[in-house]
Amino acid sequence: MRIKSIMASTVLTALALGSATPSASASPAPHLARPTGDRPVGTATLSLDATGGPVSLFYPAVSAAGPKAPFMTEAEAKAVLDADGITGVAPSVLAGVRTDAVVDAPPSGHRLPLAVLFPGLRRPRAELTSLAEDLASHGVFVAVAARPDGPADVSPVLDSLTRSKWADLVDPDRIGVAGLDGTGPAMAADPRVRAGVDLDGPDAPLPAPGLDRPFLFLGRPDAGTAGWDGLRGWKRRLTVTGTVHRSFTDIGLVGEQLGLGFGATTPAVRAQAITAAYVRAFFDRHLRGRPQPLLDQPSAQYPEVVFARTSTPYLPAPTGDRPVGATAVYLKDTSRPDPWVPSVPYRELMVSLFYPAASAKGPKTQYLTPAESAALLQGSGLDMPPDGLAAMVTNAVADARPAGRGLPLIVLSPGYTKPRATLSALAEDLASHGYAVALVGHTHENTGQSFPDGHFAGCASCDLPHDDAFWEKLEQGRATDVSFVLDSLAHSKWAPLIDTSRIGMAGHSIGGASTLPAMVADGRIKAGMNIDGTTHVPLTGLSRPFMFLGHQLGDTACVPGDPTWQRDWPQLTGWKRWADVRGAQHASFTDVGLVGDEFGVDYGATTSALRTQEITRTYVNAFFDQHLRGAPRPVLDRPAYPEVSFCH
């Protein structure tokens, strides 16, 4: 990359020649980003067994005392300046950049995760010093190897390290690679590498059948995507707005301090912080097994980072302050036959129970079983393997110990043909705010449901004529399912968790429509919400609190409104609200919309599913806070989002 210097001559003179007595207005010497970890950093040089080429080592040190390492030699600095076409900067300026690593400091620790870093082709090792120091300050052993003439070859580095005096610092089962390209082929060539990061590729195409190990791309929005489809494991493609190639290196960081024009609109110091945060989170997750929400969904802390592509869909993090647990509950109602398969003399249901947990530690719940995932994805057009949704990143700890007793309970009912998991993002969020949530799977009314004994129930109702009588039967049957769930939970080991005097219900689509007949049939349900569901059973009167929340049908808010809601509205004689969300579509209110956005599916929404999920969570939480907890919520009295209109 050829870069022209735009520095003023006075700045050049001051930085290139120095001053014996710096004035108050003198420009400070350029410096690297400070490590963010709590451990001192040491550095040393290792020569490779095979080629004799130098490798820079960075590691947690016993002490921060001692001389700091130079950023690079003057010869290396001159080569960088010449290669980038930078004139007017003396090599001594780059050579004099301050670092934070102590030369030959005694190391601290043993069997540490190892990250091998590769700069770009024919680029100096020094340009990844800030990243290396930051990782080392968090307890990672780092080796930075140059690429003078060829691909990023990790094998000689690993071979040399494991035969050297540094061998005790390396955990051979926790090795990762990160570099400015070539990461994929390096991983494919050496199975010892468990995870890899491509910093602003494009990466070379991967050999068939492709990698099944974790892979992260972090770079410019317009960087290439070669090799992406060949990756078969966990993967994320994150782009950073306003960056250029040098933004991800110390050359960009130092160059910006010198006044060089690289063309980035995001400051290099910010890009460096983002790079360090995401690379560190990636290795913490895949080499240390530590959950990293930063990798699961966009973060308000780093709004510049866009989740561009992913093969592993994710749920947004809950907004409450409590860890979330979840467990699967099997229920069997022997008092009635299955309404869709009358030859089965009982009705069996699966319920996902979400609740505040004592700890956030532990494996997360599986979103769907592989069989459920395959059934839901069949014919969807999504570019993922049939079991792809089984790997959905969730936020609830499986079978975690509950925290609290006597919690208000919310029953959630999903849309027709949709498994119960498709309301998980909402369920997790409610639980994070202190609710117990029973998410009901209505057997034979979804694409498929797995049971603990291994059998699988498909969508028996899907083969029937979907006339008015069908939809009425569906809504009334769900009302019966919900009452049975409430009876069962009240007499189960989960009874102490639930306050049976504070029960609410919400649902999406036919699940939302079923809320009205469920409330009419069961007085235990004190408040209800219909999320974008056309109703089929006419309401004859309800005095308990109720809210409609749906997508805007036309160009004008509330006009036209859902005619079935218009029909039912006068029959609601208690507290009531009707809100429309502009730019949303039917799927926007569920995890289906979230996955669609993550995979670039155009389902007609102009408001993102993530934004609609935020709105939905806000109003569902506020509604039940006010009507089950007695906590007034002003958001229910006036729209809090520009996309939301109150129709009544």
Side-chain angles (χ1 to χ4, degrees):
M1 179 184 297
R2 304 293 292 181
I3 305 170
K4 295 182 179 179
S5 171
I6 61 168
M7 293 189 301
S9 59
T10 54
V11 175
L12 284 172
T13 302
L15 290 173
L17 301 179
S19 173
T21 308
S23 66
S25 60
S27 299
H31 56 84
L32 302 184
R34 288 278 191 185
T36 60
D38 58 0
R39 309 189 192 188
V41 178
T43 185
T45 302
L46 172 73
S47 294
L48 298 183
D49 293 344
T51 65
V55 173
S56 298
L57 304 179
F58 297 84
Y59 48 85
V62 172
S63 170
K68 300 298 191 291
F71 179 50
M72 60 176 64
T73 66
E74 291 201 18
E76 291 170 331
K78 183 178 186 304
V80 169
L81 296 170
D82 290 346
D84 288 344
I86 299 174
T87 60
V89 179
S92 59
V93 174
L94 291 185
V97 170
R98 176 190 57 75
T99 72
D100 291 279
V102 178
V103 177
D104 296 324
S108 173
H110 64 284
R111 291 186 67 83
L112 305 174
L114 170 66
V116 181
L117 307 184
F118 289 100
L121 185 63
R122 290 184 286 276
R123 301 296 301 181
R125 305 189 308 280
E127 73 175 14
L128 293 179
T129 299
S130 287
L131 178 59
E133 290 182 343
D134 190 74
L135 287 168
S137 75
H138 287 272
V140 177
F141 187 28
V142 183
V144 188
R147 300 172 50 206
D149 298 307
D153 191 354
V154 71
S155 298
V157 178
L158 301 183
D159 293 342
S160 296
L161 277 173
T162 54
R163 295 170 185 153
S164 72
K165 68 177 184 179
W166 304 97
D168 288 344
L169 262 67
V170 179
D171 184 342
D173 295 324
R174 297 190 294 168
I175 296 174
V177 169
L180 273 80
D181 61 52
T183 300
M187 293 176 67
D190 198 316
R192 290 176 290 183
V193 180
R194 299 302 175 90
V197 181
D198 180 0
L199 293 173
D200 202 54
D203 213 284
L206 299 173
L211 288 173
D212 59 0
R213 284 165 273 164
F215 195 92
L216 171 68
F217 173 89
L218 181 70
R220 296 163 293 158
D222 59 347
T225 60
W228 180 262
D229 292 336
L231 298 166
R232 299 303 177 201
W234 185 104
K235 63 182 178 181
R236 295 281 188 273
R237 179 175 175 80
L238 309 183
T239 61
V240 187
T241 58
T243 55
V244 297
H245 189 61
R246 289 290 176 259
S247 299
F248 302 92
T249 73
D250 290 334
I251 303 303
L253 183 65
V254 172
E256 185 173 87
Q257 295 172 52
L258 295 177
L260 297 176
F262 290 91
T265 56
T266 294
V269 66
R270 178 65 174 172
Q272 188 64 234
I274 290 170
T275 302
Y278 280 88
V279 172
R280 184 172 66 251
F282 177 82
F283 286 135
D284 278 353
R285 178 172 194 156
H286 296 293
L287 299 185
R288 286 173 157 155
R290 300 174 180 173
Q292 298 295 320
L294 191 64
L295 300 173
D296 293 336
Q297 61 271 313
S299 168
Q301 186 178 1
Y302 300 106
E304 304 93 336
V305 178
V306 176
F307 278 57
R309 296 181 68 182
T310 173
S311 67
T312 310
Y314 55 90
L315 296 180
T319 61
D321 59 359
R322 309 188 193 191
V324 177
T327 193
V329 179
Y330 170 77
L331 300 176
K332 186 174 183 179
D333 185 358
T334 58
S335 69
R336 58 183 172 132
D338 188 279
W340 307 111
V341 186
S343 60
V344 178
Y346 51 82
R347 176 72 164 162
E348 56 181 353
L349 300 172
M350 290 300 300
V351 175
S352 294
L353 189 63
F354 295 81
Y355 47 86
S359 171
K361 295 180 179 180
K364 300 300 188 287
T365 53
Q366 185 177 44
Y367 186 72
L368 292 171
T369 67
E372 290 169 337
S373 172
L376 182 59
L377 288 173
Q378 186 175 7
S380 70
L382 285 177
D383 183 19
M384 68 167 63
D387 63 351
L389 291 176
M392 184 93 157
V393 177
T394 66
N395 301 283
V397 178
D399 302 316
R401 182 165 59 88
R405 298 169 60 90
L407 305 177
L409 171 68
I410 310 299
V411 180
L412 295 181
S413 180
Y416 183 58
T417 75
K418 299 302 183 288
R420 66 189 191 278
T422 55
L423 290 180
S424 293
L426 178 58
E428 289 182 344
D429 194 67
L430 284 165
S432 77
H433 287 273
Y435 287 95
V437 182
L439 180 46
V440 183
H442 301 278
T443 310
H444 299 305
E445 299 173 16
N446 50 52
T447 50
Q449 185 161 274
S450 300
F451 287 88
D453 65 359
H455 82 276
F456 185 82
C459 188
S461 66
C462 290
D463 298 329
L464 301 175
H466 291 178
D467 53 16
D468 289 342
F470 170 85
W471 294 112
E472 290 183 15
K473 176 181 177 179
L474 195 68
E475 290 183 20
Q476 296 286 15
R478 291 202 172 194
T480 305
D481 283 349
V482 169
S483 290
F484 170 66
V485 169
L486 296 180
D487 291 340
S488 300
L489 291 177
H491 295 90
S492 73
K493 68 176 184 178
W494 299 101
L497 184 69
I498 299 164
D499 181 350
T500 54
S501 69
R502 295 188 293 166
I503 296 174
M505 180 178 172
H508 174 254
S509 192
I510 200 67
S514 301
T515 303
L516 286 170
M519 293 181 71
V520 170
D522 197 322
R524 290 174 294 182
I525 305 173
K526 305 302 183 183
M529 283 191 71
N530 178 349
I531 302 172
D532 214 47
T534 296
T535 62
H536 299 86
V537 178
L539 183 65
T540 57
L542 185 67
S543 61
R544 279 162 275 160
F546 199 86
M547 182 170 181
F548 291 110
L549 177 68
H551 74 280
Q552 182 176 305
L553 296 180
D555 295 333
T556 304
C558 308
V559 180
D562 186 299
T564 67
W565 291 9
Q566 297 279 18
R567 178 199 66 206
D568 292 337
W569 184 259
Q571 301 299 318
L572 296 168
T573 58
W575 186 102
K576 57 185 178 181
R577 291 288 185 275
W578 175 339
D580 276 1
V581 182
R582 185 178 67 253
Q585 290 294 329
H586 192 57
S588 303
F589 299 91
T590 75
D591 302 349
V592 175
L594 292 168
V595 173
D597 278 1
E598 290 164 19
F599 282 83
V601 176
D602 183 3
Y603 53 94
T606 55
T607 296
S608 73
L610 192 64
R611 176 67 167 179
T612 304
Q613 183 69 217
E614 177 188 352
I615 293 169
T616 304
R617 287 172 160 187
T618 296
Y619 282 99
V620 173
N621 268 290
F623 175 80
F624 289 119
D625 281 353
Q626 180 158 311
H627 298 295
L628 296 184
R629 287 174 160 155
R633 293 291 183 255
V635 71
L636 297 174
D637 297 323
R638 54 184 179 272
Y641 297 89
E643 301 92 339
V644 175
S645 298
F646 280 178
C647 301
H648 292 288

